[in-house]
Amino acid sequence: RTPRTPRTPRTPRTPRNERQSRAINSTGAGRSAAGPSAPVRPCRYWEPRQQPCGSCCAGIGIGIGIGNKGNKYAAAPTLNVPTPYPTFPMSHLSSTNGAGGGGAEADGADRHHHQEYRRTANLGFCKEHDEVNNNNNNSNNDDVSEGVRQLLVVSRDDGDGDDTNDIVGTINSGLVPFDFRIPSDLVPTLGMHYHADEIKEDRYESVLTALEPTSADREYQCLLDRAAEAPNKKHHNLKGWGLAYVRPVISNFYRGDGDTSDAVDGHSPDVPSVKSILKSRRDEHLQKNPEAAAEAAKREEQAAAAVAAAGDSDIGNKRTVATPAHTGFAAKFTNLSPTPLNLYWDGRGGSESRLVGRLHPFESLGTATTPGQSFSLIPVTQDGYDDRFVLQRWTMTADEAHVYYDPVEDNDIAKLTTEQQARYNMWKLNQAYARDYLIKTKRPWLSDFPRPVPFHFMHSAEYFGKTMTVKSWESHFTSRPPRSQLEKISYTDHEQRMHRESRYGKDLSIALPKYRQSRSRELELKMEVISCAPQVFLIDDFLSTVEVEHIIDLVRDGSRNITLSRSAVHPGGMSDYSSDDDRVRNEQTDTTTRSSTNAWIERGDSLIVDSIYRRAADLVGIDESLLRHRSDEEHPELATDHSIAERMQLVHYAEGERYEAHHDFLNPAFGNRYQPSRFATLLLYLNDVEEGGETIFPRAINSESHDGISVKPKAGTAILFYNVLPDGNPDDLSQHSAAPVIEGEKYLANLWIWDPIID
């Protein structure tokens, strides 16, 4: 996996009531990192957080906020296509979702995730859910939608003192309610999650040692009632309801086969359509492989014979999935022992073993692998790989992608501390849920139960060739501003812009307007679906030539101390036990997997970079203020001032350099109530590549090509894809690679956005 931005130490936040009081009485100086008596200097939101600056850098919280009412800076994409989904009140979703998806805007006050977030959202145990959700297997979509709606708003109090839910969002049509079973002896363990939600304890400090966790949550009380009614209270499975994303059948991805009504008008000839991409890839493959061509011809003959034999049947209209040639998948490893261990990839016969990372007690690591690959656990006391000390070895298969090291026998559980027993039982609860999730969706549960649906708006990739238009006031730069106007920006610059927007509107408040396209109209960004599973969108002309050149020049001219260094890989795991030493140990350079170089660019490095971030926020439908640090004076009601976007990563590939298939999502620490991970990836191409360098999604589902979907780099073009599914589970199909550059060089930039917060 691509390593996340290096972590910096957390700073305790000022209590929220004190922050609000200070904001009300503020004279503009902000708070001090060292206390009330410490000197305060102006804070720049682009500066590293560890520096002793003022209001926006001093503290790091772990909740985020967003809303429309009373918020002049809320942003959402404006779509020119109607949403196919009903809109329902959802107290756990930000109001921007509704506006972004074509639904109604929220009527409630500003909400923020610290107050509204519940890890146990979308779980139902009360009996009234059975009446609706038992119908979810029939063909009545209204029943399914009602079941989803109930689970999205179940027992959630929006804090306004009444029984209504004010916040509105959209529901993905693939979300369905499903029933799962949990052992009755693990009910108190689930109660710990409810208790953490109730007291808003984000790291489970006291929850894990509580002998009898309590919660007044109505759904949990229903679960306790069901447990009390169970005939065998110790060995009985109790039914609950959750949400799962079930992918549509592949024929739904090809809307209007043989019909041009959904064709893209004005499609640039430089960017081939999805069908032409698939056809060219298939033809190229068959030309190079005579045996595959013969086999394909044989299959076509068999299909034609079947259609002829079927007569008037619709067998000829049914599509089948082309089995991907790439057999990779995401693997997850969990340590259920109280001892830290090292996870090794065994290589070929153990002769090329390689350290994957440190696997802490009751935590996980993840990596991409293929069937038949072997991994081993070895005590950390051993220096390097030694086959004599292997505690557990797994030979991986896609059917069992999540494996556990569990040396704890029934009689040994009592030897664990109270906290260790709680963590152990939480993983047992996760295993029980994962079993039923696999049965419902036919894919492994790679997240940590419980995990709610994503907070942020998600565009829907329903069928190939679907287009949407997103509008943004951040128009293209068409001429280069003088260097004096492209210096680093401070928070004061951003604050002044907010004041201009509140007084004159966004259209009259953009930075450096005389160097841009006409400010009298919004920039229209056309998004085209090029993959439905995973969800991938192509955005032509996202960047102008001036913007592309500016990003590259930030590295080339050397004046900003932004330099390229060898790209690293990192196992997809975070832990409450992790230290800086662990980060250094786990973050490795591996030229056999990733041979590029990269540098990091701050949003505040120039007004052009800031404009790109704002445009990206409009594209994904998230308030731009969430993609940067904020001061207490800007949004005193929010529980954090931290960005949910990483710094922009500029990547350079020379001839022959590549990046093997990998995932961008991460495995959060199990004891982190927010379960943060990378939610979306926006990839920006900065130059044309003569040959090679394609971005490939090798497991993208389609019926034409066994090689998935590939995108050829074109300067200014962007692709957006989601790393998670609408139910919160990581999307294993989002695995992607960078093909070797055959001729020329390749520049691109990655922008990662997290959900619901960044860790």
Side-chain angles (χ1 to χ4, degrees):
R1 286 178 174 76
T2 306
R4 56 199 170 99
T5 306
R7 295 177 66 176
T8 50
R10 295 180 181 275
T11 306
R13 292 302 303 273
T14 306
R16 182 169 176 265
N17 57 353
E18 184 179 340
R19 294 174 62 211
Q20 289 178 318
S21 174
R22 183 173 301 170
I24 294 173
N25 300 298
S26 172
T27 60
R31 69 175 184 273
S32 167
S37 60
V40 177
R41 63 171 176 79
C43 175
R44 297 170 175 83
Y45 70 81
W46 44 264
E47 292 179 320
R49 287 173 286 153
Q50 64 267 29
Q51 294 188 14
C53 59
S55 61
C56 62
C57 305
I60 306 301
I62 51 176
I64 59 179
I66 194 166
N68 281 343
K69 186 175 181 180
N71 179 3
K72 302 180 180 65
Y73 318 118
T78 303
L79 305 182
N80 67 349
V81 294
T83 174
Y85 313 134
T87 56
F88 295 117
M90 294 189 286
S91 62
H92 67 288
L93 285 178
S94 60
S95 57
T96 307
N97 291 16
E105 290 191 359
D107 222 8
D110 265 341
R111 311 296 182 194
H112 57 89
H113 294 162
H114 182 71
Q115 295 297 319
E116 292 298 323
Y117 178 86
R118 295 180 69 94
R119 186 173 179 178
T120 53
N122 318 139
L123 299 181
F125 295 99
C126 295
K127 293 183 178 180
E128 61 262 26
H129 300 305
D130 293 350
E131 301 176 4
V132 173
N133 294 327
N134 279 333
N135 297 323
N136 73 78
N137 289 324
N138 63 28
S139 59
N140 191 334
N141 290 331
D142 292 336
D143 289 334
V144 175
S145 297
E146 175 63 16
V148 173
R149 185 196 67 80
Q150 284 200 8
L151 291 171
L152 286 172
V153 301
V154 65
S155 296
R156 298 287 80 86
D157 182 6
D158 59 15
D160 60 3
D162 58 33
D163 295 330
T164 62
N165 297 96
D166 297 324
I167 299 179
V168 176
T170 56
I171 294 178
N172 189 292
S173 61
L175 280 176
V176 297
F178 81 105
D179 59 293
F180 61 91
R181 303 295 193 278
I182 63 171
S184 56
D185 58 338
L186 293 180
V187 169
T189 302
L190 183 57
M192 292 182 177
H193 293 296
Y194 277 99
H195 185 52
D197 278 340
E198 192 164 285
I199 66 176
K200 295 180 173 58
E201 189 170 85
D202 300 326
R203 293 288 176 175
Y204 287 60
E205 292 89 349
S206 66
V207 171
L208 293 173
T209 56
L211 297 178
E212 295 184 3
T214 59
S215 173
D217 187 279
R218 179 171 176 270
E219 296 300 318
Y220 182 62
Q221 292 299 317
C222 288
L223 177 61
L224 292 177
D225 293 342
R226 288 196 171 192
E229 297 170 0
N232 187 340
K233 296 181 175 59
K234 187 174 182 180
H235 302 289
H236 186 77
N237 289 328
L238 304 174
K239 183 169 74 170
W241 290 95
L243 291 175
Y245 176 71
V246 178
R247 283 196 175 92
V249 295
I250 190 171
S251 58
N252 289 353
F253 297 165
Y254 292 85
R255 181 168 298 185
D257 273 353
D259 182 7
T260 60
S261 59
D262 290 315
V264 181
D265 294 330
H267 198 309
S268 171
D270 296 329
V271 182
S273 67
V274 175
K275 290 188 176 181
S276 65
I277 290 175
L278 295 174
K279 186 177 185 303
S280 62
R281 294 281 297 180
R282 179 176 183 272
D283 293 343
E284 181 181 352
H285 175 71
L286 296 180
Q287 289 176 1
K288 296 179 180 179
N289 300 273
E291 294 181 358
E295 182 65 25
K298 182 179 179 181
R299 287 197 301 266
E300 291 175 358
E301 291 177 1
Q302 292 174 344
V307 172
D312 295 332
S313 74
D314 64 347
I315 188 172
N317 295 324
K318 294 184 178 179
R319 289 181 174 270
T320 58
V321 176
T323 304
H326 182 79
T327 58
F329 59 93
K332 185 174 181 179
F333 305 85
T334 299
N335 179 13
L336 295 187
S337 78
T339 305
L341 302 167
N342 283 337
L343 177 67
Y344 281 87
W345 172 61
D346 291 341
R348 296 170 178 82
S351 60
E352 301 178 14
S353 60
R354 189 175 301 150
L355 177 67
V356 177
R358 176 69 56 85
L359 191 52
H360 287 279
F362 309 104
E363 293 292 353
S364 298
L365 283 181
T367 188
T369 188
T370 55
Q373 297 291 332
S374 178
F375 294 83
S376 299
L377 285 179
I378 294 179
V380 297
T381 54
Q382 299 302 315
D383 185 14
Y385 180 89
D386 192 329
D387 191 67
R388 297 174 298 171
F389 298 98
V390 172
L391 300 175
Q392 176 88 46
R393 176 174 284 120
W394 297 282
T395 300
M396 302 305 297
T397 65
D399 294 331
E400 193 175 2
H402 188 180
V403 293
Y404 295 81
Y405 172 62
D406 185 3
V408 180
E409 303 290 342
D410 291 340
N411 297 331
D412 296 333
I413 295 180
K415 299 178 182 179
L416 301 176
T417 66
T418 301
E419 178 179 341
Q420 290 170 347
Q421 289 184 41
R423 291 181 180 272
Y424 181 86
N425 287 331
M426 283 180 176
W427 279 113
K428 289 298 181 181
L429 187 65
N430 185 77
Q431 286 179 292
Y433 179 85
R435 176 194 60 225
D436 294 321
Y437 182 89
L438 176 64
I439 294 173
K440 180 65 178 179
T441 65
K442 307 299 188 296
R443 64 174 172 270
W445 173 254
L446 297 174
S447 191
D448 298 339
F449 176 82
R451 210 286 186 196
V453 300
F455 265 52
H456 304 309
F457 170 75
M458 293 181 71
H459 292 286
S460 178
E462 299 167 274
Y463 57 91
F464 289 126
K466 174 184 176 181
T467 60
M468 299 168 287
T469 298
V470 175
K471 295 182 179 181
S472 172
W473 284 112
E474 294 298 326
S475 55
H476 287 140
F477 280 85
T478 55
S479 60
R480 186 88 175 246
R483 191 181 185 88
S484 61
Q485 297 191 35
L486 292 178
E487 297 298 322
K488 287 188 174 183
I489 60 176
S490 68
Y491 184 78
T492 301
D493 298 313
H494 186 76
E495 192 173 43
Q496 291 173 352
R497 172 158 179 176
M498 288 191 299
H499 292 158
R500 290 198 305 271
E501 287 183 357
S502 63
R503 186 171 183 179
Y504 304 111
K506 287 189 175 183
D507 56 332
L508 298 178
S509 304
I510 62 173
L512 306 177
K514 70 178 182 178
Y515 302 101
R516 300 183 186 234
Q517 288 177 335
S518 172
R519 66 182 184 182
S520 62
R521 59 184 179 86
E522 295 173 282
L523 173 67
E524 294 187 351
L525 300 169
K526 182 177 288 186
M527 304 175 63
E528 180 185 358
V529 174
I530 61 173
S531 175
C532 303
Q535 298 191 90
V536 185
F537 305 84
L538 177 71
I539 307 98
D540 199 15
D541 296 324
F542 181 81
L543 299 175
S544 68
T545 301
V546 171
E547 292 161 349
V548 162
E549 293 174 349
H550 175 70
I551 295 175
I552 297 176
D553 286 346
L554 286 174
V555 176
R556 282 179 173 171
D557 65 14
S559 61
R560 303 292 180 90
N561 291 323
I562 302 174
T563 57
L564 293 168
S565 59
R566 183 59 57 189
S567 299
V569 294
H570 194 286
M574 295 177 281
S575 168
D576 288 332
Y577 302 94
S578 295
S579 63
D580 289 339
D581 289 340
D582 288 327
R583 180 181 62 80
V584 174
R585 181 188 301 109
N586 288 347
E587 191 172 291
Q588 310 166 41
T589 57
D590 179 5
T591 56
T592 64
T593 299
R594 189 185 191 194
S595 52
S596 60
T597 54
N598 67 262
W600 298 94
I601 299 174
E602 302 277 358
R603 174 172 173 173
D605 277 332
S606 75
L607 283 171
I608 292 181
V609 178
D610 179 73
S611 177
I612 293 171
Y613 268 79
R614 292 173 180 271
R615 193 181 304 153
D618 290 335
L619 182 75
V620 298
I622 295 177
D623 189 328
E624 65 83 18
S625 69
L626 296 180
L627 305 189
R628 56 175 169 77
H629 296 286
R630 299 172 301 279
S631 73
D632 285 347
E633 287 71 28
E634 180 182 352
H635 285 300
E637 77 282 0
L638 304 186
T640 182
D641 55 17
H642 197 288
S643 169
I644 64 168
E646 296 183 43
R647 292 178 293 170
M648 182 184 295
Q649 185 191 55
L650 184 141
V651 188
H652 174 256
Y653 293 87
E655 284 190 9
E657 292 184 335
R658 68 193 187 284
Y659 195 175
E660 297 293 343
H662 61 284
H663 299 87
D664 284 354
F665 59 76
L666 300 165
N667 295 307
F670 195 74
N672 187 327
R673 189 169 71 95
Y674 287 91
Q675 291 296 287
S677 185
R678 285 171 175 164
F679 162 73
T681 298
L682 183 62
L683 196 156
L684 313 175
Y685 295 109
L686 304 180
N687 72 314
D688 297 337
V689 179
E690 285 80 356
E691 185 177 0
E694 297 88 354
T695 300
I696 301 173
F697 295 85
R699 298 166 59 201
I701 294 178
N702 65 91
S703 65
E704 280 94 358
S705 171
H706 298 277
D707 300 318
I709 299 291
S710 66
V711 181
K712 184 175 178 59
K714 179 177 179 290
T717 298
I719 57 174
L720 168 69
F721 63 91
Y722 293 108
N723 301 299
V724 298
L725 297 167
D727 61 13
N729 196 26
D731 189 354
D732 193 12
L733 297 183
S734 66
Q735 190 173 18
H736 56 287
S737 64
V741 174
I742 299 174
E743 183 180 352
E745 62 179 343
K746 173 183 173 183
Y747 280 97
L748 63 85
N750 291 306
L751 181 59
W752 289 296
I753 299 173
W754 287 55
D755 179 89
I757 63 168
I758 199 168
D759 189 8

